[in-house]
Amino acid sequence: MKTKINKKNKSTISIVIPIFNEEENLSILIHRLTKVLVEITKNYEIIFVNDGSKDNSLQFLRSLAQEDKRIRIIDLSRNFGHQIAFAAGIQYARGDVIIMMDGDLQDPPEFIPQLLNKWREGYEVVYAIRAKRKEKFFKKIGYKFFYRILRIMSNIDIPIDSGDFGLIDRKIADLINQMPERARFIRGLRSWVGFRQIGLPYSRDARLSGEPKYSFPKLIRLAFDGLLSFSTAPLRIATAIGFIVSIISFITILFYLYLFFTTPRVPGFTTLIIALLFIGGIQLITVGILGEYIGRIYDETKKRPLYIVRETINIS
């Protein structure tokens, strides 16, 4: 074990950070991040994935990359999304260990040494668990419910309250790079590969400045990607609801047949309308769930690339 630890102390560390309109945070992010890294090793690279920023994020990163060749840039041709940007960074990372974090400083760079210590102990995946998070009340409640529903319904064990902030070994990165699916949910993929994994609790800070880039619709989409990519439970639930509705409908039919033969008049216009609307709503929900899965199948069959790179800087 000692030989393994010494070898890893000389290893290259890759930091992958997606950037989308983060010019207000980049200066402090670089300062805090490099301060942490230089105390660990000289063998590191910071890979910024510019995910279609509309502000001056790219220009600021260019100036930094001219001064320090360890700062590397992947400039995507447009905004492909947070998870795809992570996938691009992992694809280009050359380190023996890859650390993924956001660019808004909600993921504190000062926590990186703790992640690396667990890696040196032999863990291939080390994920940060959000023990505390400084965010709006409804957003915190939404995340809380999402992770617990995902845990119940998923086919794999996705740790509760773990985001993208974490560390993966080179072998894990190579495996993720081989996965062809387009609906990327990084925290699910790293759980799926297995190997030795461990979580470390941390306090997630508030965004330093600027507006959150994950709007409510984007968060809902991410939740759908996570749920539908790693679970067929929605289809089973739709089937179960169908059986339940059929049983209720059959009992209702028997009840009204009884009234038809035992009473001179069978009232039920309101009941009929309610029943039709209820069954129609269930059918639309079921068709919507099927449509989500079919849409993902269609998206996969087109085999378009995950992303398009406009240019790279300091990447050979």
Side-chain angles (χ1 to χ4, degrees), residues 31-95:
H31 174 73
R32 288 174 57 181
L33 187 56
T34 53
K35 182 180 179 180
V36 170
L37 291 174
V38 295
E39 294 179 357
I40 300 171
T41 180
K42 294 181 180 179
N43 301 321
Y44 69 83
E45 62 176 3
I46 305 174
I47 300 177
F48 289 100
V49 184
N50 181 46
D51 191 24
S53 295
K54 303 298 184 183
D55 61 1
N56 293 319
S57 295
L58 180 60
Q59 289 79 357
F60 182 80
L61 290 173
R62 283 180 186 275
S63 62
L64 292 176
Q66 291 177 354
E67 299 173 2
D68 188 349
K69 299 301 180 183
R70 291 173 297 187
I71 294 177
R72 300 173 182 179
I73 303 171
I74 303 169
D75 182 25
L76 302 184
S77 61
R78 63 171 176 83
N79 180 257
F80 284 88
H82 185 254
Q83 297 295 294
I84 300 300
F86 267 129
I90 295 172
Q91 187 81 45
Y92 278 84
R94 294 295 175 261

Side-chain angles (χ1 to χ4, degrees), residues 141-263:
I141 293 297
Y143 273 120
K144 196 176 188 69
F145 275 105
F146 163 67
Y147 281 112
R148 280 144 187 83
I149 292 172
L150 182 62
R151 180 72 173 269
I152 293 170
M153 300 180 70
S154 177
N155 299 326
I156 61 173
D157 184 15
I158 299 177
I160 291 177
D161 297 326
S162 64
D164 297 309
F165 186 31
L167 172 155
I168 57 175
D169 187 84
R170 176 78 259 165
K171 70 177 73 170
I172 306 299
D174 291 339
L175 289 169
I176 290 177
N177 289 336
Q178 293 173 20
M179 297 179 185
E181 62 256 46
R182 296 180 52 79
R184 293 279 166 146
F185 188 63
I186 299 297
R187 64 201 76 170
L189 294 178
R190 74 184 179 198
S191 296
W192 183 88
V193 297
F195 293 93
R196 294 190 65 194
Q197 304 199 7
I198 191 171
L200 288 177
Y202 81 111
S203 178
R204 184 169 170 82
D205 295 331
R207 165 177 274 274
L208 181 65
S209 62
E211 294 296 324
K213 303 308 182 293
Y214 259 123
S215 61
F216 184 73
K218 287 184 178 180
L219 288 173
I220 294 297
R221 189 64 187 176
L222 178 64
F224 269 103
D225 285 341
L227 184 59
L228 301 184
S229 296
F230 294 95
S231 176
T232 56
L235 292 174
R236 293 196 295 270
I237 291 173
T239 302
I241 291 174
F243 275 114
I244 292 171
V245 171
S246 297
I247 292 171
I248 294 173
S249 300
F250 181 71
I251 294 173
T252 304
I253 289 170
L254 292 178
F255 173 72
Y256 278 101
L257 283 175
Y258 170 77
L259 290 180
F260 180 79
F261 288 109
T262 58
T263 59

Side-chain angles (χ1 to χ4, degrees), residues 80-128:
F80 284 88
H82 185 254
Q83 297 295 294
I84 300 300
F86 267 129
I90 295 172
Q91 187 81 45
Y92 278 84
R94 294 295 175 261
D96 300 291
V97 58
I98 295 95
I99 296 171
M100 296 167 291
M101 60 185 296
D102 288 333
D104 54 10
L105 285 172
Q106 287 189 280
D107 301 330
E110 293 78 14
F111 194 70
I112 289 175
Q114 297 182 50
L115 299 175
L116 288 169
N117 285 339
K118 288 298 179 183
W119 178 64
R120 295 187 181 108
E121 291 176 12
Y123 291 97
E124 287 98 347
V125 176
V126 186
Y127 48 86

